[in-house]
Every structure is written in C-alpha cells, then in structure tokens.
Amino acid sequence: MANQGDSAWFPERKDASFIQKICCKIIKSGVIPKHVAFIMDGNRRYALKMKFSRIAGHSMGFDKLTETLEWCLDLGIREVTVYAFSIENFKRSKDEVEDLMTLAKGKFDRLLLERDKIDKHGICIRVFGDVALLPPDVQAAVANAVKISRHNNRAFLNVCLAYTARNEMTNAMKELAVGVENQMLRPSDICEDLLEKCMYSGEASQPDLIIRTSGEVRLSDFLLWQSCYSCLAFLDIYWPEFTIWNFLWCIVRFQLSYDKIQDGKHYNDQMKKRLQLASDKENALKEARMAGAIVNNNMDDLVEHYRLEREKRVNNFINYLHNKRIEFMNSRSTID
C-alpha cells in the first residue's frame, strides 16, 4: 500500500505509433468533443480476472486515467470529468473503502509534486461531490490540489468524489431554498439554468460524450442532469483495458450523432428563452400592479427592468455560492 500513490499524473510521454498519429489526425478533421466524461468501471473485475488484489486493480485504473488524459490533451479536449468514487461506494467493505481513501489521498498529494506540469498545461482541478463525507486527511489533500490549480483555465479535470447525481440535485435545491429564505432570491427567479448553476458542477460545461466501460449499460447516478444532450458510449471492456482505439471509436460515434444532438440542444435553448421571457412578463406585470403603476405602452421597459433586476439577484447569489465553496476548500487546505 505504501507505493499506491507514487505513480505520476503526468508521466514521461510515450511516442505514439505512426498509425495512431494518422488516425488521430483524421479524427481531428471532424468535430472534437469539448468535454468528455468517463465512468471508469471494471477495476475490481479486471483485478479478479488477472488474479491481482482489488487495490492493485484500482491503481491500474488510475494509470489508465493518466494515459487517457494524455490522449485528451493530444486531441484538444479541454475538459474531462471522471467518476472516481460514488457515495454508494461507502457501502463496500471497510477494508476496501479504507484502501480507496488511502489511494485517493496519495493521488491528490502527488498533484502537489507535479504543480509545474499542472501549470504548464494550464489545468484547473475541480472536485464535485460532498467532500465533507471524506476522511479529514483526504479532504485536505483534495482541497490542496484544488487550491494550487484554481488560477488555471486552459483545461479542466473534474473529479467526482463522494458524488451521486441525486445528492448533487438535492444539495442544489437546498442552496436555492436558503437563497429564498435569506431573501437573496425570489421564488420566481428559480429556473433550470439557475438550478444547474447551483450544482457541484455549476461552473462546468455539459459533457458532449460520456463513456462507460465494463459492459454495464447505465449511468449509475452520474451526471444525470448534465447528460440530457450527451452522446453515450458503453464499452464491453474493463477500464484498465481501455485503449486509444476504443476512445477514437467513441469519438467517431459522437461525430455521427453531433448534428442531431445540436438540433435538440438548440430547440431546448429556444424553449427556455421563451419560457423565461413569459415568466419575466408575468412577474413584471404583477410587480407593476402591486405598485399601483399604470401599464400602457411601457410594458417592454417594465419587462427589461425586471429582467435586469432578476439577473442582478441571480448573479449575486451565484457569486455568494462560489465564494462559499472556495471558503470551504480553503478551510480544509493545509497549504498557504
């Protein structure tokens, strides 16, 4: 166990084969997903298959992640989200959970030693989940990694740790309830976009492509809200067996479905705009009547004024939430 955290996030890069370089070049002539998410499933079953220990399987899964991040950088994919540890995983045996927490701490501690490479690639590390559920030493390691990379913005690595989508949505609703209770928000301010911004992943983009290994064909409570317009790819291999060829096949699948997905997203965006405009008109009119104002030909001005005030409230609340989360991470960090 002592060496489980020693492998690097950014090891010495291996030269790609000629055929791999050609295939990547061909793939890059099409649309490349900006954000790819991975459900890295099958580490334990791979270890059983190869007669390794469970923790060795998880460690090999991490090594596969570092290789995959290298492919993403080469392909120009700016954002990656990985499902590292579900809240449901706490139900596993005590020994396995302790081993996974030790592994997680070692990997996040290792990031401090690779700070130069993180800054070189401009990678911002974000952690999505209920971090308070993690052991204190893991919380500190996570907070340190987040803190040292917060200023970067060229690429994003989102690690879902102590995460489920149901927990994320529940927490977002609680944040909104507090906002309304403290009069930072009005109930009429709440909409899909605001709820999304209150989630752990509120600063991230929606994933264009979600890949799951192990042969399971389900999302397992991963990014349920964010995946509504994602291309889904399910592979019948274990995560440590994932190769560049599997990855390129998934990207081709994304490219083939790209136009239809964009049509759906565009329709949804237009629908949300129409609903928001209708809501603003209704509330602006209600507000004007309560104030005793006469509504003649100035309805457009009233709606515009209401919209600006609503956006001001929403932006102030989002900034409050952002600062609250920064303060939480800073309170767990052990570095200046």
Side-chain angles (χ1 to χ4, degrees):
M1 287 299 303
N3 295 323
Q4 293 297 337
D6 288 350
S7 53
W9 285 81
F10 304 98
E12 291 298 320
R13 306 187 71 175
K14 301 175 184 177
D15 287 335
S17 66
F18 175 75
I19 188 66
Q20 180 176 326
K21 290 177 181 178
I22 292 295
C23 290
C24 287
K25 189 172 182 179
I26 293 171
I27 290 290
K28 289 171 73 174
S29 67
V31 181
I32 294 295
K34 296 182 177 66
H35 181 180
V36 179
F38 296 94
I39 302 176
M40 307 178 293
D41 194 21
N43 293 329
R44 292 194 302 172
R45 279 169 283 174
Y46 178 75
L48 182 63
K49 171 184 170 182
M50 302 302 293
K51 296 183 171 49
F52 297 143
S53 67
R54 286 181 188 172
I55 196 61
H58 290 300
S59 187
M60 285 184 285
F62 170 79
D63 292 339
K64 180 55 62 176
L65 171 60
T66 64
E67 188 177 12
T68 303
L69 293 177
E70 182 178 310
W71 301 333
C72 289
L73 287 172
D74 288 343
L75 289 165
I77 296 167
R78 293 187 65 251
E79 188 166 4
V80 172
T81 299
V82 295
Y83 203 0
F85 189 85
S86 166
I87 291 174
E88 296 296 314
N89 291 150
F90 282 115
K91 297 177 182 178
R92 293 182 178 181
S93 70
K94 180 182 177 183
D95 287 345
E96 184 175 3
V97 171
E98 288 179 352
D99 283 346
L100 287 169
M101 290 298 103
T102 299
L103 180 63
K105 181 182 182 302
K107 299 309 179 185
F108 279 101
D109 282 342
R110 175 75 197 194
L111 283 168
L112 299 185
L113 302 178
E114 299 186 64
R115 187 169 183 171
D116 290 344
K117 292 181 180 178
I118 291 171
D119 288 340
K120 175 185 175 183
H121 294 294
I123 298 173
C124 175
I125 296 159
R126 300 183 291 208
V127 175
F128 301 155
D130 194 345
V131 175
L133 295 176
L134 300 169
D137 59 339
V138 180
Q139 291 185 39
V142 164
N144 291 341
V146 170
K147 190 172 183 179
I148 65 166
S149 65
R150 188 178 289 148
H151 60 285
N152 293 326
N153 59 13
R154 292 207 308 276
F156 299 90
L157 173 59
N158 309 316
V159 182
C160 292
L161 200 61
Y163 172 93
T164 63
R166 288 174 296 173
N167 172 269
E168 179 178 39
M169 288 185 270
T170 301
N171 182 73
M173 290 302 299
K174 289 178 180 178
E175 297 287 10
L176 288 172
V178 170
V180 172
E181 183 180 2
N182 293 340
Q183 299 184 335
M184 291 183 282
L185 294 171
R186 297 179 184 178
S188 58
D189 295 335
I190 298 173
C191 62
E192 281 187 34
D193 286 343
L194 179 55
L195 176 61
E196 188 172 314
K197 289 175 182 175
C198 292
M199 294 187 186
Y200 300 132
S201 58
E203 295 182 2
S205 63
Q206 292 187 345
D208 299 301
L209 171 63
I210 297 179
I211 299 171
R212 177 171 188 159
T213 54
S214 84
E216 299 288 347
V217 186
R218 53 194 171 91
L219 291 178
S220 296
D221 221 348
F222 177 61
L223 301 182
L224 298 184
W225 178 279
Q226 301 87 339
S227 61
C228 57
Y229 292 104
S230 302
C231 175
L232 306 180
F234 299 99
L235 302 176
D236 196 15
I237 55 170
Y238 299 133
W239 174 247
E241 298 172 320
F242 185 64
T243 69
I244 183 64
W245 308 113
N246 299 130
F247 192 24
L248 295 181
W249 178 86
C250 293
I251 294 175
V252 169
R253 182 169 180 169
F254 161 78
Q255 291 173 338
L256 292 173
S257 62
Y258 178 78
D259 288 339
K260 288 186 177 180
I261 290 175
Q262 292 307 304
D263 288 344
K265 288 177 71 174
H266 177 72
Y267 177 82
N268 185 58
D269 288 343
Q270 294 303 113
M271 181 64 72
K272 286 195 294 184
K273 287 179 182 178
R274 287 196 292 270
L275 291 172
Q276 187 63 68
L277 179 58
S279 176
D280 286 348
K281 284 182 177 178
E282 179 185 350
N283 287 291
L285 184 59
K286 187 186 299 183
E287 197 173 81
R289 286 173 175 169
M290 289 179 64
I294 299 174
V295 181
N296 293 320
N297 297 325
N298 63 339
M299 190 61 197
D300 288 345
D301 292 337
L302 289 174
V303 172
E304 178 66 9
H305 174 75
Y306 180 85
R307 181 186 68 81
L308 293 173
E309 289 298 310
R310 173 181 58 78
E311 289 182 352
K312 182 179 178 181
R313 288 192 299 272
V314 167
N315 289 334
N316 287 340
F317 180 70
I318 294 302
N319 287 334
Y320 152 78
L321 204 55
H322 175 74
N323 292 331
K324 174 184 171 182
R325 289 171 178 173
I326 287 178
E327 288 173 8
F328 173 84
M329 284 297 182
N330 287 344
S331 70
R332 267 52 179 183
S333 176
T334 57
I335 60 174
D336 295 328

